[in-house]
Amino acid sequence: MPLAGKKDMSKILEKTVSSGGGKTVSGKVTVNNETSYEVSEAELSSTETLFFAGKKNKPQILIVHSHSTESYTPSEKYSFSHTSEDRTTDTDYNMICIGSELKKELENRDIESVHITKLFDYPKYDNSYARSCDAVFDVLSKNPQIKIVLDLHRDSIINSEGVKTKLTTTINGEKAAQVMLVVGTDELGLKHDNWRTNLKFAAQLQKYLLLQEENFARPINLRTSRFNGHTAPGAVIVEVGTGGNTIDEALVSVKYIAAALEALLNDYEKTD
């Protein structure tokens, strides 16, 4: 029995969040708009090629983790100790592990990527986005052909009783963590002229995520904060599951994220 006043983190609630809800865009693609900006269905259902995706013999995608130490619930296969609540500095078990798997899955599809493996939120959490932003711009200065920047995180959902919620769905018989694309804006005052391009890119990627399983992706989350969306036209945050999910479930998701990216890049190549 948990101590009075303490959250019981031993229990985990599992559920699937429908891809519906929010503002319907095209088919099942939806957006949860937390800003005061109007977003048209036309721009979100656009099939235009937003940028030249780069040649296949050069990196096309940059993978980074502003909150690198975010981690998951230990499992039989991935047993580890947290450095702090739902976080670990061990790169075999935090978001660096998820990014490494995505890089491998992309390489299996002949898509080159750069993976930044620094810890930006440890030992200091404040200004982690500013530190990761500097690192992203450093990589982009050496690889100007990269137009897609994926900041991989995991979400955290805890109910009023202190129970963690894990978000899962089943794809081809495998249990996968649900994903959520997050897009920032300039509403809080930081310069970000191209956030609508970020949003269009997220909607296009969302379409391919949902083609694999209708509940694989939660509605796109449009936010007032900029995050690091200004770094590239295809810059988005990708929340892979929650702290209640296991690494096993997150790694299953990575396969299908890579497949969605491949499909979208193939679309872009047809119009290059």
Side-chain angles (χ1 to χ4, degrees):
M1 179 180 295
L3 296 175
K6 295 289 186 179
K7 292 181 177 180
D8 182 4
M9 304 304 289
S10 63
K11 297 178 181 179
I12 295 177
L13 174 67
E14 180 176 357
K15 67 177 182 178
T16 297
V17 177
S18 171
S19 59
K23 178 182 177 67
T24 300
V25 177
S26 177
K28 290 247 178 183
V29 177
T30 58
V31 58
N32 177 20
N33 186 356
E34 296 186 17
T35 76
S36 62
Y37 292 124
E38 290 293 327
V39 177
S40 71
E41 293 190 14
E43 66 182 329
L44 290 174
S45 59
S46 172
T47 58
E48 68 180 301
T49 298
L50 300 172
F51 45 79
F52 175 60
K55 297 185 180 298
K56 281 201 169 184
N57 60 347
K58 290 186 177 182
Q60 296 176 285
I61 296 174
L62 173 57
I63 304 166
V64 66
H65 315 280
S66 294
H67 295 161
S68 319
T69 65
E70 290 177 340
S71 191
Y72 297 89
T73 296
S75 65
E76 182 177 352
K77 183 175 181 180
Y78 295 95
S79 178
F80 62 97
S81 298
H82 289 119
T83 305
S84 59
E85 189 171 307
D86 287 341
R87 294 176 181 272
T88 179
T89 56
D90 190 331
T91 57
D92 287 335
Y93 303 106
N94 61 24
M95 297 312 299
I96 306 298
C97 164
I98 307 304
S100 296
E101 185 69 13
L102 178 58
K103 180 176 175 63
K104 184 174 73 174
E105 288 291 340
L106 291 171
E107 288 174 350
N108 290 341
R109 293 167 168 80
D110 296 322
I111 300 171
E112 289 195 37
S113 63
V114 177
H115 183 204
I116 300 175
T117 59
K118 294 180 181 178
L119 301 183
F120 295 109
D121 59 342
Y122 185 88
K124 186 178 180 181
Y125 182 84
D126 291 347
N127 298 316
S128 53
Y129 277 100
R131 288 189 289 275
S132 65
C133 184
D134 289 342
V136 167
F137 275 130
D138 182 59
V139 170
L140 295 181
S141 69
K142 301 166 186 173
N143 299 273
Q145 77 283 352
I146 294 178
K147 304 300 180 185
I148 299 173
V149 176
L150 305 177
D151 192 351
L152 266 59
H153 293 244
R154 63 105 183 98
D155 205 354
S156 178
I157 303 176
I158 302 174
N159 70 16
S160 60
E161 297 178 351
V163 178
K164 289 191 285 189
T165 298
K166 64 186 293 184
L167 301 178
T168 63
T169 191
T170 301
I171 308 177
N172 295 328
E174 297 181 285
K175 186 172 289 188
Q178 285 185 293
V179 302
M180 180 173 70
L181 304 180
V182 181
V183 176
T185 68
D186 60 0
E187 187 159 352
L188 295 184
L190 293 177
K191 185 177 176 59
H192 186 9
D193 296 334
N194 296 317
W195 67 264
R196 289 186 184 273
T197 301
N198 291 167
L199 185 57
K200 288 180 183 179
F201 172 77
Q204 291 176 350
L205 179 58
Q206 181 91 333
K207 178 182 72 173
Y208 284 109
L209 292 170
L210 295 176
L211 281 175
Q212 296 172 94
E213 204 285 318
E214 65 178 2
N215 289 314
F216 181 35
R218 299 155 63 191
I220 296 168
N221 190 204
L222 184 64
R223 301 279 293 277
T224 58
S225 297
R226 181 179 69 176
F227 302 114
N228 288 334
H230 64 300
T231 57
V236 296
I237 289 175
V238 184
E239 300 270 9
V240 186
T242 74
N245 285 101
T246 64
I247 294 177
D248 317 62
E249 294 160 346
L251 293 177
V252 170
S253 301
V254 164
K255 293 189 299 184
Y256 298 103
I257 294 171
L261 287 164
E262 179 185 30
L264 182 52
L265 287 174
N266 285 340
D267 272 358
Y268 281 8
E269 286 175 7
K270 292 173 185 176
T271 55
D272 286 345

